[in-house]
Amino acid sequence: MVRLSRAQMQEHNRAKVLAAARDELAERGFRDAKIDQIAERAELTRGAVYSNFPSKRALYFAVLAQEAARTSGSRYPPTARTATDALGDFARAWMARLPLAGEDRRSASRLGRDLLPEIVSDERVNQPFSQLTCLSAILLGLCLEQLPSSKRTASRMVQVAEIALTTLHGAGQLAAAAPGFGEPFAVVRACEQLAELDLDDTWQPAHLPHISPARPTDQPWTPPALTDALRDEPAHLDDDGVLAVLGLHRLAAIEEALRAAPPTAAVTAVLVTSNPGELGPLVRLIVTDLRNSLRAAVAPSAWPRLQIIHDESGDLAAAAGVPAVSDATETAVRIHDGRITARADGYGACHAAASA
């Protein structure tokens, strides 16, 4: 028998806990699931469960994130040529993962029925989830802006994306509370029509003219090798551009970098939190779900030039000169020729660094 290293044993136990938790949550639901039962299923102690996950809710988020990662999205390349078609395909992919009437309660789609109620129950999770949803709307809206629309005159489509996500989340809640209610294809058609709404959506936040310029600096830039969570591929962190370290209360600020940066500049959002054990799995879940739906709707070549990095360890933030992070962190740096050439901190940092 090959003896496992400490790290390998920890990973092995983590996998056993996740598998046991999935079965327990599918059978009993989040409210009635018990850590003791999960430990028994995994043939581990209660302490071993908590050594891998700080709470039952963190474990629930991790199970959902793992399920989302197993679903790579559509097996066929997207064919949408208009914003209407793309939004319809996005909604269709979203609706496909919702539970159906009479479906086996152990199915993957029924596991998520307690997600939004659990988020609503704790104010500490509300704001991170709100900002993650804002991030999803920004990315979906930017994708839609690349495609033609017959009636729309406004160039920004983030508000359309926000309404679509509101509709889809509402459909998800009803699918959990009232399986069989409503016609999923009608929801898809309704989302398609949103692409033709003219909401006079413009981009000119009032605070932008009052932001202090980024400070010039000259520091070496040696980032660790990490994965771009949006595309699930190695991140290109050496490219010239803007890198924004954002706490989970400041994610919407990334739009300032995306709108202000030069067209050829890379933009990277480094997601950090003061509570990675609890909120890290939630971040992974939301980003993975977004990736799966975008893959079904929009060709990757039309995706925003944004990389998303899960920096739960804080290593990338430290490399960017941010040794301590919180959910309110907003620091952005400009990268050029392998060096940090400008830095901005606090409110408006993304715009300041991008426009340096």
Side-chain angles (χ1 to χ4, degrees):
M1 179 180 294
V2 177
R3 185 172 181 177
L4 299 179
S5 68
R6 181 181 178 86
Q8 289 172 324
M9 180 60 71
Q10 189 172 31
E11 187 61 30
H12 177 69
N13 287 344
R14 182 182 176 87
K16 290 176 65 176
V17 170
L18 282 169
R22 188 208 181 281
D23 291 342
E24 177 76 5
L25 289 162
E27 287 185 11
R28 300 176 182 271
F30 177 79
R31 295 288 189 277
D32 295 329
K34 305 296 182 185
I35 291 295
D36 288 337
Q37 289 297 114
I38 293 171
E40 185 175 330
R41 286 174 184 264
E43 299 180 336
L44 296 168
T45 65
R46 178 185 177 92
V49 175
Y50 279 120
S51 70
N52 285 279
F53 301 94
S55 68
K56 186 174 77 168
R57 181 170 61 198
L59 180 52
Y60 177 49
F61 291 162
V63 168
L64 293 180
Q66 185 182 67
E67 290 294 313
R70 287 173 175 166
T71 305
S72 59
S74 175
R75 290 176 292 177
Y76 307 100
T79 59
R81 294 292 181 266
T82 67
T84 297
D85 292 340
L87 198 48
D89 289 343
F90 182 92
R92 194 172 291 108
W94 183 290
M95 295 295 291
R97 66 177 188 249
L98 300 183
L100 302 173
E103 191 174 27
D104 183 354
R105 67 179 183 176
R106 291 172 56 89
S107 68
S109 60
R110 294 191 67 84
L111 274 171
R113 64 189 182 272
D114 294 318
L115 175 62
L116 286 185
E118 185 57 24
I119 289 170
V120 169
S121 70
D122 193 333
E123 292 181 357
R124 293 171 298 179
V125 186
N126 294 167
Q127 192 166 359
F129 180 74
S130 173
Q131 286 291 292
L132 286 164
T133 308
C134 285
L135 178 62
S136 298
I138 290 167
L139 293 175
L140 175 57
L142 287 169
C143 287
L144 297 176
E145 289 169 20
Q146 305 303 310
L147 299 168
S149 178
S150 61
K151 299 178 182 178
R152 171 176 51 89
T153 59
S155 59
R156 186 173 184 263
M157 292 196 72
V158 175
Q159 286 185 8
V160 164
E162 290 172 348
I163 298 172
L165 289 174
T166 300
T167 302
L168 293 170
H169 275 295
Q173 282 299 93
L174 272 178
F181 174 80
E183 171 54 60
F185 291 107
V187 175
V188 171
R189 289 196 297 272
C191 287
E192 287 177 336
Q193 299 309 306
L194 293 175
E196 302 303 329
L197 289 179
D198 192 349
L199 300 175
D200 193 26
D201 186 3
T202 58
W203 172 253
Q204 191 56 48
H207 66 274
L208 293 186
H210 309 289
I211 293 172
S212 300
R215 305 183 305 278
T217 186
D218 184 19
Q219 298 172 339
W221 172 238
T222 54
L226 293 168
T227 298
D228 172 12
L230 184 58
R231 294 168 180 79
D232 194 26
E233 62 185 31
H236 302 283
L237 297 174
D238 291 321
D239 293 349
D240 290 357
V242 181
L243 182 135
V245 181
L246 299 172
L248 297 187
H249 294 178
R250 298 294 303 144
L251 301 185
I254 196 61
E255 187 173 4
E256 297 179 11
L258 288 164
R259 302 284 185 189
T264 58
V267 179
T268 301
V270 182
L271 276 50
V272 297
T273 175
S274 56
N275 188 6
E278 184 95 1
L279 296 177
L282 177 64
V283 175
R284 292 178 181 275
L285 167 63
I286 302 304
V287 173
T288 303
D289 275 344
L290 174 66
R291 180 179 74 222
N292 290 343
S293 295
L294 282 180
R295 279 178 172 171
V298 183
S301 59
W303 288 17
R305 46 169 177 161
L306 177 69
Q307 300 181 109
I308 296 178
I309 308 295
H310 299 309
D311 191 25
E312 295 174 21
S313 67
D315 290 343
L316 185 55
V322 189
V325 298
S326 74
D327 291 308
T329 295
E330 182 180 345
T331 292
V333 296
R334 195 67 179 266
I335 309 298
H336 182 68
D337 285 345
R339 301 190 71 81
I340 298 175
T341 59
R343 175 183 303 277
D345 300 290
Y347 201 82
C350 286
H351 177 80
S355 57

